[in-house]
Amino acid sequence: MNFSGRAAPIPGDRPPPRARAFHAQAFKELRLEGVRRDFGNVSALRDLTLTIEQGQFVALLGPSGCGKSTALNCIAGLLPVTGGSIRLDDKRIDTLRTEERGFGMVFQNYALFPHMTVRKNIGFGLKMRGVASAEIARRVDDALRLVHLGEHGHKLPGQLSGGQQQRVAIARAIVIEPPLVLMDEPLSNLDAKLRLEMRQEIRRIHAELGSTTIYVTHDQEEALSLADRIVVLREGMIRQVGTPAELYADPAHLDVADFMGYRNRIEGRLVRSGGGMAAVDIGGAVVEGRTRGELGGGRAVAAMRPDDLVPAREGVDAIVATVESIEYRGREFHGLARTPQGAELHFSSPARLEAGAPVRLAADPRNVLIFEAEAR
């Protein structure tokens, strides 16, 4: 399968990059062509084919063990490929050593030298490349300003917060002016508030640099907020590539829908299909939705997000269930209910419902996706 990361720019989608102190090395595209990575008899990556254009922010998204970090490490040169090739424009790079590729890397655990000041940590890569001291000082100053750490250059990493340490790691990655910045779940060790703040910072830095970024994450909200293009992986293979809007609204497969927040996946009897719509009988209730893929069998799966499944008005065909638990989340309540057939339903409600109470749940057909049951 050949998936492309190409996408036409969307007017007003992202702010244009401002004048910047750094200039990422120019290239047109990074191409992974049939990349395979085996660990003994286990294939961590299988026929991975992907094109990433200069300036894009691409997120590799998927559950643990799907191959996203393996793909990033193969691009970085930390792991050799078992088959296929990786090219930067016309130059094959999978045969080069890590340091010869010249990519910037931001790790989950920061990987800062604890005995070095912030300035020395940021300038370390430049020093190893033999850059003159005056040039190192200038570029470190620029990097500190870019990550908003100008007053902290003299400090040791242990004197900084987690978010500040991650900014140092980003500054160290970009100060070498790499053609590509690789980030491997860089926010997973931060608390929720810091993750949100750092997401905004990473996007700002990417825009100001005009750089190309490949970002590994298992958090679909993180991928949606940061990326221009999202690559969903499963068992070492690409399942879907698209813009955040495309993947959020139109996941092509049931496993992609699951990862994009469609927690409710209820199997039933296919009643009818045609014209891009289908209906499924679930415990006597007919649930309508948009068709995804071919529906050849007599069984189908209706997929819905919890926010879209709500208590139904009288007269509306609805799924009958019993509330098992309910929790308050500020503006609304989120609950778990179970049908007589044993299916779990995650739903939202504007009012509190008591555990053990009956509930009738329905969703707007525009927000329901119907997949063939065998797609699981």
Side-chain angles (χ1 to χ4, degrees), residues 110-129:
Y110 318 141
L112 301 177
F113 297 110
H115 62 288
M116 289 186 182
T117 65
V118 166
R119 290 189 64 88
K120 288 183 177 179
N121 265 283
I122 294 172
F124 182 79
L126 296 173
K127 184 177 180 181
M128 292 298 99
R129 287 166 169 79

Side-chain angles (χ1 to χ4, degrees), residues 15 33 40 56 79 120 152 321:
E33 300 173 344
Q56 287 189 328
L79 284 174
K120 288 183 177 179
H152 301 278

Side-chain angles (χ1 to χ4, degrees), residues 167-185:
R167 291 187 194 199
V168 175
I170 292 171
R172 183 181 59 189
I174 63 176
V175 77
I176 61 173
E177 299 178 2
L180 195 63
V181 178
L182 309 174
M183 297 190 176
D184 191 2
E185 304 212 41

Side-chain angles (χ1 to χ4, degrees), residues 361-376:
L361 299 170
D364 188 321
R366 293 173 296 181
N367 299 327
V368 179
L369 302 179
I370 308 295
F371 296 87
E372 190 172 30
E374 289 75 14
R376 293 180 301 172

